[in-house]
Amino acid sequence: MFEGAKGPGAAAIMDGSGLRVAVVHARWNTSLITPLVEGAKKKLMEGGVKESNIVVQSVPGSWELPVACQRLFAASQVQASSAPSGDLLGELGRSTTLIPGGPPSTASAGPFDSIIAIGVLIKGDTVHFEHIAESVSRGLMRIQLDFGVPVIFGLLTVLNEDQAKKRAGLTPDGHNHGEDWGSAAVEMGAKRKL
Ligand SMILES: O=Nc1c(NC[C@H](O)[C@H](O)[C@H](O)CO)[nH]c(=O)[nH]c1=O
């Protein structure tokens, strides 16, 4: 899968059966976003996470990822303390994603154990790319540290479409980085509960 030294090490085997995970994805570059989200969900479920405990939300673009992740996690904390079961987040908890199929998910009560933020930024002719990449990266890191919840960094910042396709597993020599993010979400979510 990877030549040389570069690339992730083997995923730690953790039990994801009791985890609740949010996947928040941008709607820019959707032909790339879709396989990335599918790859993440595949590894979440291979790690034992129940599909009913995966909430998938979409936002207009990567710029909106931090506020959506923060709002989703904060709402899950409030609901967990006030509504021990049932429809955890109401409309906020329903999957509103580009990804076809699957019922609107209503995660069971309890704060999310990890969040995967997914976006694809492709460098253009201006410095717009740099502003979004820098701000979104800092924003996602801040949520991790402010809330103590793992936010898996699924923001592809690429120089051209070919680089993005490779990292979405859409080329013969590619690898779907969404799978790595799903595995990381299981490991970090399980470790958060230890
Ligand atoms: O510009 N390029 C991109 C982009 N721009 C939109 C931005 O994230 C935001 O949604 C709007 O500015 C509105 O706030 N969003 C992406 O996810 N990828 C890009 O490559």
Side-chain angles (χ1 to χ4, degrees):
M1 179 168 69
F2 292 102
E3 291 93 40
K6 193 175 180 305
I13 308 301
M14 305 291 285
D15 174 13
S17 59
L19 299 185
R20 284 169 292 281
V21 180
V23 178
V24 184
H25 71 82
R27 291 195 302 269
W28 265 66
N29 305 313
T30 50
S31 64
L32 299 158
I33 292 287
T34 299
L36 290 167
V37 171
E38 286 305 299
K41 282 183 68 176
K42 173 179 167 231
K43 287 297 180 182
L44 285 173
M45 290 189 279
E46 285 180 5
V49 182
K50 299 179 185 66
E51 188 162 18
S52 60
N53 280 336
I54 301 172
V55 173
V56 183
Q57 288 281 323
S58 72
V59 292
S62 295
W63 180 262
E64 284 75 31
L65 287 172
V67 68
C69 291
Q70 192 269 358
R71 192 164 126 59
L72 199 54
F73 182 72
S76 73
Q77 282 186 311
V78 168
Q79 285 252 327
S81 58
S82 57
S85 63
D87 187 348
L88 168 64
L89 299 171
E91 277 313 303
L92 195 60
R94 301 215 194 297
S95 284
T96 55
T97 177
L98 279 179
I99 314 300
S105 62
T106 308
S108 56
F112 289 112
D113 299 294
S114 56
I115 302 172
I116 306 174
I118 297 178
V120 176
L121 284 170
I122 302 176
K123 176 84 177 127
D125 302 332
T126 70
V127 289
H128 192 222
F129 168 94
E130 283 81 356
H131 289 305
I132 298 178
E134 169 69 13
S135 300
V136 173
S137 305
R138 288 182 183 278
L140 295 177
M141 177 58 77
R142 210 183 94 193
I143 295 164
Q144 283 202 111
L145 301 178
D146 287 357
F147 286 87
V149 60
V151 176
I152 306 307
F153 187 71
L155 184 66
L156 285 189
T157 50
V158 294
L159 301 178
N160 54 58
E161 209 169 305
D162 289 342
Q163 287 183 346
K165 285 178 180 169
K166 188 171 180 179
R167 289 155 180 80
L170 297 178
T171 61
D173 63 339
H175 166 69
N176 187 335
H177 285 222
E179 296 185 5
D180 304 331
W181 305 332
S183 299
V186 173
E187 176 181 347
M188 295 306 289
K191 286 178 174 175
R192 183 170 181 268
K193 291 172 85 88
L194 294 179

